[in-house]
């Protein structure tokens, strides 16, 4: 573009005055370029003199090669500059509450979250969001090429057990009734297998109302998938291949420690690494080392001491491991007799000591599923009320099926070398579930509550 006249739009990133000459770095999502205002173009120079950081401008100018001695090898655009010929100030800006030119790690997180739209202007954050897009796009393309169909499932739905508390939404039309926000699309994806869709995926939002525990968000994103007639290896092999390709394409500087990813049994993981999510890296300080692994063969149930009852290690839809030549009747007898001794066709996906996903082959026999619900302490009427739709669907010709869900926020966090998932989510909430920018949760009008047949008890 040397000597061409161009028009640029963007933000004033910084300004320097050198003697009489004014230098502006103009910034957009793709980078920065130096713009020069010299006093011989008096009108524009005077307007340029007013510019302050973060103002939004339109600049017309001519691209000039910088003299060799003035080149800046640190900037991709460092060999050129724009000689300003026209300037329009499109909007002015207050002084930002914090410096946007740093990585932001020195700024209090509450302030960053309150002004998230400014925080996202900093290069580190903008890069995280763009890489998030690249990763999700890669996943969509890869799975589409492998015959998967992306399907949206409802957000207003009924409780699905993933072991957390539900967020619930009151129904206006049916007083006293509530929807639940999905903890995962688990039941829908299984029903899509009954529907004959064969291979489903979704970049799915999940909602879990958990107490503040480490780096969690009340809503988070999963890559959720399900397929029919799979072996466990079909699912693990697909994920392994997906990640190998993804890393090669988007993070060529990173090295996968071992491929195929090791499959470690749950028992070995506990015995050898004292963890069901072992960190297999050689050098834990090297951000470019990626140690993926699958942990397989989990127990089916765990005993919950506080509630004095059995709980599912994964979720109730997980398939128990059959012993050799065992019939379903024999299996049911066996797990009823000694729930603690049965194993599941369940697997976790681990990266650098973090659990980044999990899944299982599923139960598709109604009577086995009923048995599991009974062992978990559900009464017969409850089972019909909560899971009747699934049990019924399984009576209309259900293919064996299985799947997995991956925690995308965590995966992107690790790949971007970030310490928290909040750094890779555009508008995250605080650890205690607040949106400091929108100020949510918030009170609502009396009228809204009345419409919903709700009275609140304020403590
Ligand atoms: N729904 C499960 C979860 O969110 C994943 C799966 O079993 O596919 O952990």
């Amino acid at each position: 573009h040397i000597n061409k006249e161009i028009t640029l739009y963007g933000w004033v990133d910084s300004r320097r005055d050198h003697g009489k000459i004014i230098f502006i770095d103009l910034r957009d999502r793709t980078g920065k370029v130096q713009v020069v205002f010299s006093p011989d173009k008096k009108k524009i120079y005077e307007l340029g003199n007013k510019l302050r950081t973060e103002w939004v401008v339109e600049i017309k100018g001519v691209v000039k090669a910088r003299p060799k001695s003035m080149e800046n090898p640190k900037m991709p655009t460092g060999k050129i500059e724009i000689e300003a010929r026209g300037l329009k100030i499109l909007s002015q800006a207050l002084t930002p509450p914090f410096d946007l030119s740093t990585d932001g790690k020195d700024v209090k997180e509450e302030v960053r979250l309150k002004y998230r739209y400014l925080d996202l202007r900093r290069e580190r954050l903008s890069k995280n969001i763009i890489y998030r897009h690249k990763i999700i796009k890669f996943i969509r393309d890869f799975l589409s090429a492998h015959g998967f169909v992306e399907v949206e499932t409802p957000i207003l739905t009924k409780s699905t057990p993933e072991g957390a508390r539900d967020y619930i939404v009151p129904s206006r039309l049916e007083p006293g009734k509530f929807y639940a926000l999905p903890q995962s699309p688990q039941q829908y994806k299984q029903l899509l297998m009954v529907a004959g869709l064969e291979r489903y995926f979704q970049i799915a939002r999940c909602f879990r109302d958990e107490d503040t525990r480490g780096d969690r968000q009340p809503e988070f994103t999963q890559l959720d998938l399900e397929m029919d007639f799979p072996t466990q290896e079909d699912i693990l092999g697909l994920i392994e291949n997906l990640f190998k390709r993804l890393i090669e394409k988007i993070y060529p500087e990173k090295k996968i420690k071992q491929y195929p990813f090791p499959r470690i049994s749950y028992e070995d993981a506990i015995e050898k690494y004292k963890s069901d999510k072992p960190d297999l890296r050689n050098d834990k300080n090297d951000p470019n080392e990626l140690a993926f692994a699958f942990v397989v063969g989990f127990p089916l149930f765990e005993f919950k001491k506080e509630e004095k009852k059995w709980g599912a290690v994964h979720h109730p839809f997980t398939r128990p491991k059959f012993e050799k030549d065992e019939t379903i009747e024999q299996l049911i007898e066996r797990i009823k007799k000694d729930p603690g001794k049965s194993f599941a066709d369940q697997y976790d996906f681990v990266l650098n000591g973090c659990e980044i996903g999990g899944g299982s082959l599923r139960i598709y026999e109604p009577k086995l599923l009923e048995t599991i619900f009974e062992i978990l302490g559900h009464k017969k009427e409850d089972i019909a009320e909560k899971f009747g739709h699934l049990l019924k669907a399984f009576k209309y010709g259900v293919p064996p099926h299985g799947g997995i869900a991956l925690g995308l926020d965590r995966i992107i966090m690790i790949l971007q070398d970030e310490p928290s998932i909040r750094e890779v989510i555009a508008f995250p909430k605080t650890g205690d579930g607040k949106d400091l920018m929108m100020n949510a949760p918030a009170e609502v009008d009396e009228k809204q509550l009345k419409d919903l047949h709700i009275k609140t008890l304020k403590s």
Side-chain angles (χ1 to χ4, degrees):
H1 296 295
I2 301 285
N3 291 331
K4 287 227 173 83
E5 196 174 308
I6 58 163
T7 308
L8 298 173
Y9 295 88
W11 283 258
V12 175
D13 190 70
S14 60
R15 143 187 195 141
R16 294 176 302 280
D17 295 3
H18 281 217
K20 285 238 143 87
I21 299 177
I22 303 167
F23 292 96
I24 293 290
D25 275 348
L26 189 70
R27 182 190 77 231
D28 72 5
R29 199 180 75 191
T30 62
K32 296 175 197 171
V33 69
Q34 175 166 292
V35 183
V36 189
F37 295 84
S38 49
D40 47 337
K41 314 233 165 26
K42 197 159 175 270
K43 245 175 95 187
I44 296 164
Y45 177 81
E46 276 167 9
L47 197 55
N49 204 11
K50 294 194 176 139
L51 292 178
R52 295 292 177 270
T53 52
E54 300 309 312
W55 288 23
V56 180
V57 293
E58 177 197 279
I59 290 174
K60 285 197 191 310
V62 177
V63 183
K64 293 282 176 195
R66 293 194 205 179
K68 271 265 170 293
S69 61
M70 306 288 273
E71 284 184 2
N72 180 352
K74 285 192 202 130
M75 266 173 105
T77 59
K79 286 189 170 167
I80 57 144
E81 61 191 10
I82 313 297
E83 216 177 80
R85 300 276 168 90
L87 167 65
K88 253 194 222 158
I89 295 170
L90 301 175
S91 71
Q92 300 191 359
L94 297 174
T95 307
F98 40 68
D99 190 355
L100 303 179
S101 65
T102 67
D103 64 13
K105 288 180 178 153
D106 50 325
V107 186
K108 259 204 161 152
E109 198 180 21
E110 290 90 273
V111 190
R112 289 179 51 209
L113 291 179
K114 183 158 183 214
Y115 293 94
R116 188 59 159 182
Y117 46 88
L118 297 180
D119 195 39
L120 287 170
R121 282 186 195 170
R122 70 175 82 254
E123 199 181 331
R124 175 170 68 101
L125 273 276
S126 146
K127 217 172 140 197
N128 285 349
I129 300 303
I130 292 166
Y131 271 76
R132 184 180 180 111
H133 161 73
K134 287 187 185 180
I135 291 169
I136 291 178
K137 168 142 188 343
F138 186 91
I139 292 173
R140 284 202 156 105
D141 292 344
F142 178 93
L143 290 176
S144 307
H146 283 76
F148 284 79
V149 177
E150 186 169 9
V151 184
E152 292 163 88
T153 54
I155 295 295
L156 292 178
T157 176
K158 197 170 161 177
S159 179
T160 254
E162 294 280 2
R165 197 179 283 121
D166 288 323
Y167 279 99
I168 57 174
V169 180
S171 159
R172 181 177 58 83
L173 297 176
E174 295 212 41
K177 294 197 176 165
F178 297 83
Y179 301 97
L181 304 185
Q183 291 188 33
S184 82
Q186 184 62 36
Q187 294 188 62
Y188 284 109
K189 67 174 173 174
Q190 293 194 239
L191 289 165
L192 286 170
M193 295 302 104
V194 180
L197 212 85
E198 298 184 1
R199 293 179 159 214
Y200 142 94
F201 84 99
Q202 182 176 191
I203 306 298
R205 199 65 66 80
C206 303
F207 305 84
R208 299 183 190 178
D209 188 359
E210 289 176 298
D211 293 333
T212 323
R213 249 205 294 157
D215 190 23
R216 292 190 182 236
Q217 287 280 304
E219 54 181 300
F220 59 94
T221 306
Q222 285 187 342
L223 161 60
D224 190 42
L225 66 84
E226 194 79 4
M227 57 204 276
D228 64 2
F229 308 106
T231 61
Q232 178 169 301
E233 266 309 307
D234 288 337
I235 296 164
L236 303 191
L238 176 85
I239 296 299
E240 182 173 68
N241 189 7
L242 164 63
F243 275 87
K244 178 167 187 274
R245 299 289 170 82
L246 187 152
I247 300 302
E248 280 167 2
K249 171 97 193 281
I250 305 180
Y251 295 95
E253 71 283 7
K254 295 195 189 273
K255 289 275 156 310
I256 294 177
K257 189 186 161 205
Q258 193 182 337
Y259 187 89
F261 305 160
R263 277 87 166 139
I264 305 170
S265 79
Y266 171 78
E267 279 180 335
D268 285 353
I270 297 293
E271 198 183 294
K272 215 166 143 191
Y273 306 101
K274 312 270 173 285
S275 164
D276 59 0
K277 36 179 193 287
D279 191 341
L280 303 175
R281 280 176 295 180
N282 291 330
D283 177 358
K284 299 193 175 42
N285 294 317
D286 176 2
N288 284 338
E289 186 179 359
L290 298 175
F292 290 99
F294 293 111
V295 179
V296 300
F298 282 79
L300 186 60
F301 297 108
E302 62 194 344
F303 195 72
K304 302 205 158 163
K305 287 197 189 106
E306 283 153 41
E307 301 156 64
K308 294 207 183 59
K309 60 175 208 167
W310 292 102
V313 169
H314 189 43
H315 52 52
F317 313 106
T318 297
R319 191 168 189 75
K321 234 187 215 337
F322 281 65
E323 283 174 359
K324 196 167 174 272
D325 298 328
E326 193 174 39
T327 64
I328 184 158
E329 287 76 19
Q330 288 166 335
L331 172 99
I332 288 178
E333 273 312 300
R334 175 166 62 81
I335 57 178
K336 267 189 178 166
K337 216 186 280 161
D338 201 348
K341 282 222 174 93
S342 34
F343 285 86
D345 281 323
Q346 184 209 328
Y347 29 85
D348 272 1
F349 189 31
V350 174
L351 170 57
N352 294 359
C354 254
E355 185 199 321
I356 56 166
S360 58
L361 302 184
R362 322 295 186 193
I363 299 169
Y364 59 91
E365 302 89 338
K367 63 179 168 193
L368 178 52
L369 190 54
E370 273 169 323
T371 306
I372 300 290
F373 285 132
E374 282 165 23
I375 294 173
L376 293 176
H378 294 273
K379 296 205 192 71
K380 273 235 165 8
E381 321 79 85
D382 283 2
I383 298 173
E385 148 64 22
K386 286 192 185 138
F387 306 106
H389 52 280
L390 199 65
L391 290 165
K392 193 179 206 182
F394 285 178
K395 291 177 181 153
Y396 285 96
V398 52
H401 55 284
I404 193 166
L406 310 184
L408 274 183
D409 307 298
R410 248 191 247 177
I411 291 171
I412 299 166
M413 169 190 93
I414 297 172
L415 293 177
Q416 288 294 107
D417 308 323
E418 289 289 0
S420 148
I421 61 172
R422 295 189 294 277
E423 303 292 336
V424 300
I425 297 174
F427 297 104
K429 298 188 175 55
T430 58
D432 51 356
K434 290 198 185 83
D435 179 333
L436 295 178
M437 184 185 67
M438 303 285 269
N439 204 5
E443 281 164 0
V444 297
D445 294 343
E446 274 306 317
K447 161 104 177 55
Q448 278 176 299
L449 288 178
K450 208 169 157 224
D451 285 349
L452 294 168
H453 328 280
I454 285 184
K455 272 203 181 115
T456 55
L457 298 170
K458 283 188 193 136
S459 52

